[in-house]
Amino acid sequence: MNSDLLDGLNPRQLAAVTLAPVPALILAGAGSGKTRVLTTRIAWLISTGQASPGGILAVTFTNKAAREMHTRLAAMLPIDTRGMWIGTFHGLCNRMLRAHWRDAALPQTFQILDSADQLAMVKRVMKAQGIDEERFPPRQVTWAIAAEKEAGRRAGAMEATDEFSRRVRDVYEAYDQQCQREGVVDFAELLLRSFELLSRHEVLRQHYQRRFRHLLVDEFQDTNVLQYRWLKLLAGDDGAVFAVGDDDQSIYRFRGANVGNMAAFEREFHVREVIKLEQNYRSHGCILDAANALITHNAQRLGKTLWTAEGRGEPLRVYEAVTDHEEAGYVVDEVAQLRQEGVRLIDIALLYRSNAQSRVLEHALFAAGLPYKVYGGLRFFERQEIKHALAYLRLVANPDDDGALLRVINFPTRGIGARSIEQLQDAARERGISLWAAACGGHGGGRASGAIGGFVQMIERTRASVAGLALGEIVDAVIDASGLKPHYRTEKEGEDRLGNLDELVNAAAAFDLAAATATVEGDIVDADPAALPALDAFLAHAALEAGDTQAGAGQDALQLMTVHASKGLEFHAVFVVGLEEGLFPHENSLDEHDGLEEERRLMYVAITRARRRLYLTFSQSRMLHGQTRYNVASRFLREIPEALLKPVNASPARHAAGLAGHGFGGGGSGGRSSVAGPSWSAQYGRAPSAPRVTDPAVATIAARAADHPFRVGQNVEHAKFGPGVVVAAQGSGSDARVRVNFRNAGEKELLLAYAKLTAA
């Protein structure tokens, strides 16, 4: 055995690597070196003669992780790792089915459908059955079929309790038959077909159970029901399953992950010892203490406590902003300071709960000239749904825009095929006119001419209906008329796209306000805001922000991403923004089983991405879904001990300016919050920092605000309505007013001269 293999392992890592060949559960905390433990375990088993390279099966959750494991093993041992069974669940099942295609009732050259091909086949099946796609959206039917497969159920075993599930069952059965006829499988089918193969073929099952006496599984907390059943089948009674995972980082329930698999594994495999990897090699002590304190509020966990030998480090910086724009400004200022201290931009991450939050951050970075990269996604103005919406807006501004027309003439689909569009282009080219003019002249051709006419009428109606509206209202109305929202509601992860469309309305409203007041630097495309109509100016602004600001390959750039996308990554400094009730934790989670605990695990992941410095920010008001909302700090901030936090407060002048800029009460659903409670500063009794006033108008607003007896976030009591929290405050003297979110009576707007309101 190569003794160098075990050099540098800490006692718990060493115990895991050299464990006897029995079922083992390794609770590997964030930054505890789990990848090293997994690969060293494999190398140790081979070098000690306990297993041959062909007798090991290792499951990873990404192809990238599988490649990394191959590379590390090749560096540890003088063996060719290419023939080893190391890969994802789908990759390993594909390999098994290729080897036993006859037993699996598949053609030798079976093909794998991607998600687009799968959806297209479901649509064909539904059309053949005469099913109305409006009532039963094909995407939803496709997800339902995938969910049944991932639960290990064929169509005949489905529970059909309503019309939708009965339709899904019928389509599922016909879809399976069509796939079999064509010799194709989808991704979920790879695992289900492999599971069925091992279940019914005893000789084959026993062969693989004898061969793979050592099964190693990474990210065990992310396994779904069928994956766990497949592993149990492959392990049999004697298989040594080495399961590595962290239940505190289980954040993919929306993809089918079942955090309960870890507890089930410990129970069903009779695990005698759970080895906890708790020494963290990534973060300073204050960061880890905050993560430990937060996660203890979850009841359903196996339990561990991270620690480090790297020292205490700095407390977590907490910033309370007045508006989301102020929050973004603070982030930009701190990033610039970190850069001056020698921290590379690539070592700084901005994390947010929802993709739509990136727009304000991107705008601030654009204005400051800071290069950035949106990790795992596109910049705001380059996202598909935003480009579609902008194309509709371009047509409203200028119907002769051929590029915009081609992008959306059949999106969402309205029965205009490629041939009809070609005929339209030919007609426009022959006459030397725009596509719009050709369409208005009835040159669509064939059966689609009626559909093209309907598209023209829709654009004309929309152009007429938005005349005289404010910019934000124009954008909102055009998006509503486009049909984009109903289309994206049928997508599995369409919530993000819908949120981004709402954020485009916010962007337009903010742009309009900035152009009118000329107070927000970088928001005005032209030195004279009146030089362009509002819509044209906004479209020019969007085109500029979609330009060259995002960093190119290899360039030092700030990293922007959702918390979900950050899992597995680490950075010198991390900003977690938008820590407000209803946003993080997300309001949807509060009504779901285990929803709040998963949100807390998500926050735990966010905290443990930081190595040396962590910023936590929230805003008293934020534009969300086209409306201003007034917020209270996230409960997650209150779950971190105060001794670990270093608050940074907003100035009263900027506070007042933020409230005045958004208008009293925010309209609509403004003021909504999930929990009525004190603001951060009110809770901890810290006064705001000294005002920084440079604009006389802002100074006037600040002076008026200073005279107001109540402030946003303050707890109050009313003689009739009971306890509540102030969500907006305006005016002074006899004109002083507040909007209060009462715990038992909802929101009320009160004139203080007549209201019996007192501080709680």
Side-chain angles (χ1 to χ4, degrees), residues 318 320-321 618-620 631-634 637-638 649 655 675-686 688 711-716 724-727:
V318 180
E320 177 184 12
F618 68 100
S619 175
Q620 295 172 6
N631 315 300
V632 293
S634 168
L637 286 167
R638 298 195 291 273
N649 291 329
H655 177 125
V675 175
S679 72
W680 183 258
S681 349
Q683 182 182 0
Y684 290 106
R686 298 182 177 94
R711 67 182 184 282
V712 173
Q714 185 173 4
N715 280 352
V716 292
V725 61
V726 176
V727 295

Side-chain angles (χ1 to χ4, degrees), residues 29-30 277-278 280 288-289 291-292 304-308 604 608:
L277 304 183
E278 297 173 301
N280 176 284
L288 297 181
D289 288 349
N292 289 331
K304 66 182 179 314
T305 303
L306 298 178
W307 64 276
T308 183
Y604 178 87
T608 53

Side-chain angles (χ1 to χ4, degrees), residues 13 28-29 31-39 218-219 244-245 277:
Q13 290 175 332
S32 63
K34 72 176 178 64
T35 304
R36 182 184 183 189
V37 166
L38 267 168
T39 51
D218 193 11
E219 304 289 5
V244 181
L277 304 183

Side-chain angles (χ1 to χ4, degrees), residues 299-340:
Q300 305 299 319
R301 59 189 297 260
L302 298 174
K304 66 182 179 314
T305 303
L306 298 178
W307 64 276
T308 183
E310 298 296 313
R312 296 289 300 155
E314 305 175 0
L316 286 57
R317 289 165 166 80
V318 180
Y319 183 77
E320 177 184 12
V322 175
T323 69
D324 47 356
H325 288 277
E326 183 187 275
E327 178 186 49
Y330 169 75
V331 170
V332 167
D333 290 346
E334 288 298 312
V335 167
Q337 180 61 37
L338 285 166
R339 206 178 189 186
Q340 287 185 352

Side-chain angles (χ1 to χ4, degrees), residues 358-368 520-523 541 545:
S358 79
R359 202 274 308 172
V360 174
L361 293 166
E362 288 186 58
H363 174 75
L365 293 169
F366 175 83
V520 181
E521 294 181 4
D523 265 354
H541 160 77
E545 286 214 7

Side-chain angles (χ1 to χ4, degrees), residues 18 22 36 61 88 136 166 181 210 257 270 291 368 399 491 522 536 553 577 591 641 648 686:
T18 60
V22 295
R36 182 184 183 189
F61 261 79
T88 64
F136 306 99
R166 285 191 292 273
R181 281 193 294 271
R210 285 193 302 269
H270 309 292
E491 286 197 351
D536 294 279
V577 302
D591 298 325
V648 183
R686 298 182 177 94

Side-chain angles (χ1 to χ4, degrees), residues 420-587:
S420 298
I421 295 173
E422 287 176 11
Q423 291 174 339
L424 187 66
Q425 290 174 304
D426 290 343
R429 192 162 40 247
E430 290 170 5
R431 293 164 177 77
I433 58 178
S434 68
L435 294 175
W436 175 263
C440 291
H443 300 293
R447 291 181 300 172
S449 58
I452 291 177
F455 173 75
V456 168
Q457 292 172 13
M458 182 269 289
I459 296 296
E460 288 180 335
R461 283 196 306 270
T462 305
R463 295 188 76 206
S465 69
V466 300
L469 295 181
L471 179 58
E473 294 171 329
I474 291 173
V475 175
D476 195 23
V478 170
I479 290 174
D480 280 345
S482 70
L484 289 172
K485 285 189 172 182
H487 170 80
Y488 288 124
R489 285 192 190 102
T490 68
E491 286 197 351
K492 187 173 185 180
E493 296 180 17
E495 184 178 333
D496 263 356
R497 295 194 189 276
L498 292 170
N500 288 335
L501 290 174
D502 287 336
E503 184 57 29
L504 185 63
V505 178
N506 296 345
F511 179 88
D512 206 22
L513 177 64
T517 60
T519 58
V520 181
E521 294 181 4
D523 265 354
I524 300 171
V525 174
D526 195 279
D528 178 8
L532 285 173
L535 180 55
D536 294 279
F538 178 65
L539 289 170
H541 160 77
L544 287 173
E545 286 214 7
D548 298 327
T549 308
Q550 176 147 305
Q555 183 180 356
D556 185 33
L558 202 64
Q559 306 294 296
L560 274 67
M561 66 193 75
T562 64
V563 183
H564 279 103
S566 74
K567 189 172 179 293
L569 304 176
E570 58 181 76
F571 304 91
H572 177 91
V574 169
F575 293 79
V576 186
V577 302
L579 281 168
E580 298 132 30
E581 285 293 316
L583 184 56
F584 198 3
H586 196 279
E587 58 192 356

Side-chain angles (χ1 to χ4, degrees), residues 73-139:
L73 280 172
M76 289 179 173
L77 297 172
I79 60 172
D80 185 355
T81 66
R82 287 177 296 179
M84 295 182 66
W85 283 57
I86 299 174
T88 64
F89 279 102
H90 292 125
L92 295 173
C93 288
N94 175 57
R95 185 169 178 175
M96 184 176 290
L97 293 174
R98 295 289 177 188
H100 306 285
W101 53 275
R102 285 192 184 91
D103 294 314
L106 288 170
Q108 187 173 12
T109 57
F110 70 84
Q111 299 298 309
I112 300 173
L113 298 175
D114 63 19
S115 56
D117 294 333
Q118 183 184 11
L119 177 61
M121 183 177 288
V122 168
K123 286 183 175 180
R124 292 202 306 271
V125 170
M126 291 178 64
K127 184 176 181 180
Q129 294 186 347
I131 296 175
D132 183 0
E133 291 190 8
E134 292 294 324
R135 293 186 60 203
F136 306 99
R139 281 188 177 85

